[in-house]
Amino acid sequence: MSAQQPFTGRPVERRTLLRLALAGPVAGLTAAGCAKPAGDAAGAPTTAISATVRGDAPLEFFNFDGGFGKEWTNLPLDLYRQKYPQAAVKLTSGQQLPQQLQPRFVQGNPPDLIENVGLDTASLVGQNQVLELESLLGAPAWDTPGKTVAATLLPGAADAGRYDGKKFAMPYTYNLSGIWYSKPLLDKHGWQYPKTWDEMIALCARIKAAGLAPWTYQGKFPGYLTVPLLMSALKAAGPQVAVAVDNLEPNAWRHEALVEAATRYHEVAAKGYLLDGTTGLSHTQAQTYWAQGKAVFIPCGSWLENELGAVVPKDFGMTAAPAQGLSAADKLPFEAISGGPGGELLVAAKAKNPQGALELLRIILSKQSMQNFTRLTKSLTVVSGAADGLDLSPALTSMRQVINAAGSHVYPDWSFRTWYKKLLKASDDATGALMARELTPQQWSKRMQDAADRTAKDASVKKFSR
């Protein structure tokens, strides 16, 4: 699962973003994996960051070996080695970051740069364990002469990962969380992707009558389903419902839009529209069954294609779509989506080589490295033009279409999911219980409000607001 970034409360203008990120072929571009270092690495003046890097200091990058894998790290690490040949550069990987890295933070020897999925960033910020990144934003871009790092980023990337206004986490991907389906499968049956929940429930009945399971999801990780559920509520009520939830306001989770969104997802389970055994499936199991055609719809982020790999048939036609709206009275259009800058790279403040980590992060955010990332992972990045010259898969093409259609209505994930880990777990558990029919929608709403109230009253938890 990919990490999510705080909801800023403001939709980001995305028409310009997509025009820059997916501008199409550019004549004469060198293949990303074969290009020589440009800009700084080719002899440009030393930057304020590189001036403080000890060329012989060891450097460790901890990679989350999940949906994006680790092959993408080879190029930026090699570029670092080329510039600092005396440095011993080490890549370590894992999937259980709390268990693997929290002891190292306590012991005072964390990795220098961390691709974070699972660590409580808010707590690390409060403990002064994470380095502030403003100097990185103002540094010269690695391979775009005349521009700072910030000037090469797509809208929203410089603002994501802030706590009390200060930049501590750097996104590197551009995420889209939505509902996925096989377009050839829908076309074969003459089905249209539903825009409202009334249409979805009606289609589910036809899908089941055709002998297929309408839905599956990553049952052991209900957060995959929470994201579109919250998006349906956001469409109905507008962004203020997310602000109230994130700010831990009394009765925020009791809003009728949240209850109604929970009701519609509960209806999928109650009417037998889930693939049998879904609630016990891991993310890889559910996604594999979906790719095998055993279910029609699955919620997921933009990493789905890469995570599935060769499991997906070549003619499957992976297609992304927005979550359903609740009614014609929704305050946001159907085309509104959950997405924006995602992923999270952290520089450990008390690591042995944080300045080297900043330099590696500057290299990662180069157009060269991010184009290589897109080529290998089939995922978009936060760097402008990083998809130029690349052939886009059907999945990436569909994401481009969805983002273009959304226009300014692209909304990052709700901030409570990043700020308050216990509340995040409570929401995952409650959604899992909702889909297992152990909670009614009203009970789901009450459980979430109780969890939010406990968080608000817990003096040991640092509070954030927007």
Side-chain angles (χ1 to χ4, degrees):
M1 183 191 296
S2 177
Q4 302 290 331
Q5 294 299 319
F7 184 95
T8 63
R10 301 183 302 276
V12 180
E13 292 293 339
R14 299 295 175 187
R15 296 190 189 279
T16 300
L17 182 154
L18 259 294
R19 186 172 65 250
L20 295 171
L22 297 166
V26 176
L29 269 178
T30 305
C34 304
K36 294 181 179 180
D40 190 286
T46 300
T47 70
I49 289 178
S50 58
T52 63
V53 176
R54 284 179 44 214
D56 60 349
L59 179 73
E60 181 184 0
F61 177 28
F62 192 97
N63 152 259
F64 176 73
D65 194 7
F68 296 135
K70 53 188 175 185
E71 185 180 358
W72 72 269
T73 68
N74 291 339
L75 177 60
L77 290 174
D78 284 345
L79 293 176
Y80 188 94
R81 292 185 182 104
Q82 289 176 32
K83 184 168 183 179
Y84 305 101
Q86 297 181 32
V89 180
K90 178 183 180 182
L91 177 71
T92 51
S93 296
Q95 296 183 338
Q96 304 296 326
L97 272 67
Q99 295 88 327
Q100 292 171 281
L101 298 188
Q102 282 176 353
R104 295 186 57 180
F105 276 102
V106 172
Q107 295 161 10
N109 66 337
D112 303 293
L113 182 64
I114 300 166
E115 183 186 11
N116 180 33
V117 176
L119 291 174
D120 187 341
T121 304
S123 292
L124 292 175
V125 169
Q127 297 163 12
N128 299 315
Q129 292 279 9
V130 184
L131 197 68
E132 197 174 337
L133 301 178
E134 294 297 343
S135 64
L136 172 71
L137 294 177
W142 176 263
D143 58 1
T144 307
K147 288 190 175 183
T148 64
V149 169
T152 67
L153 300 177
L154 296 171
D159 291 330
R162 290 184 180 272
Y163 295 80
D164 289 335
K166 297 179 180 179
K167 177 78 168 177
F168 289 100
M170 176 58 69
Y172 55 102
T173 65
Y174 182 81
N175 289 333
L176 166 65
S177 292
I179 310 300
W180 291 82
Y181 63 93
S182 164
K183 189 176 187 302
L185 177 62
L186 263 63
D187 290 346
K188 173 185 174 181
H189 291 275
W191 298 330
Q192 296 292 322
Y193 182 79
K195 295 184 176 182
T196 68
W197 265 104
D198 283 344
E199 293 173 1
M200 171 59 81
I201 294 301
L203 178 57
C204 284
R206 296 197 296 273
I207 292 172
K208 187 173 182 180
L212 297 171
W215 277 78
T216 190
Y217 72 96
Q218 302 80 347
K220 291 183 178 179
F221 304 100
Y224 282 86
L225 198 67
T226 305
V227 174
L229 188 159
L230 295 177
M231 193 62 213
S232 288
L234 189 76
K235 289 182 181 184
Q240 193 57 42
V241 68
V243 174
V245 164
D246 290 340
N247 289 349
L248 304 177
E249 293 180 10
N251 295 318
W253 282 96
R254 304 296 280 165
H255 194 289
E256 61 182 358
L258 284 163
V259 176
E260 178 62 16
T263 298
R264 303 321 296 254
Y265 277 92
H266 183 266
E267 191 173 0
V268 169
K271 291 188 172 179
Y273 294 153
L274 277 179
L275 177 69
D276 288 345
T278 283
T279 56
L281 298 178
S282 69
H283 61 299
T284 54
Q285 289 172 324
Q287 291 161 193
T288 297
Y289 289 150
W290 171 77
Q292 292 171 344
K294 295 179 180 178
V296 176
F297 300 115
I298 190 170
C300 200
S302 52
W303 59 89
L304 178 61
E305 180 182 20
N306 189 65
E307 196 163 55
L308 280 167
V311 171
V312 183
K314 293 187 182 299
D315 60 351
F316 189 77
M318 284 182 63
T319 303
Q324 280 66 41
L326 292 183
S327 74
D330 286 354
K331 294 185 177 180
L332 299 181
F334 159 75
E335 291 78 10
I337 56 171
S338 176
E344 187 171 81
L345 292 164
L346 306 175
V347 175
K350 299 178 182 178
K352 293 182 174 60
N353 190 9
Q355 290 305 116
L358 282 174
E359 181 77 332
L360 177 57
L361 186 47
R362 191 168 69 96
I363 294 171
I364 288 174
L365 293 173
S366 68
K367 185 174 179 179
Q368 181 181 358
S369 294
M370 291 288 86
Q371 188 179 61
N372 182 61
F373 181 93
T374 294
R375 180 176 61 84
L376 291 172
T377 68
K378 302 179 179 65
S379 300
L380 307 179
T381 74
V382 297
V383 173
S384 174
D388 290 354
L390 299 178
D391 291 331
L392 302 180
S393 67
L396 270 177
T397 299
S398 77
M399 283 192 282
R400 175 181 62 180
Q401 293 169 344
V402 169
I403 297 167
N404 269 332
S408 63
H409 292 292
V410 180
Y411 296 86
D413 198 10
W414 297 25
S415 295
F416 82 89
R417 291 167 53 79
T418 300
W419 291 345
Y420 309 116
K421 288 297 181 182
K422 288 184 179 179
L423 189 55
L424 169 63
K425 185 178 186 306
S427 72
D428 288 350
D429 291 346
T431 299
L434 177 78
M435 298 307 290
R437 300 173 63 188
E438 296 168 358
L439 291 178
T440 67
Q442 284 287 351
Q443 290 169 336
W444 172 88
S445 171
K446 183 178 186 304
R447 179 183 288 192
M448 284 311 307
Q449 189 58 53
D450 289 346
D453 290 344
R454 288 194 299 272
T455 302
K457 295 174 183 177
D458 188 343
S460 70
V461 176
K462 180 176 174 57
K463 308 302 191 301
F464 302 95
S465 64
R466 61 181 182 88

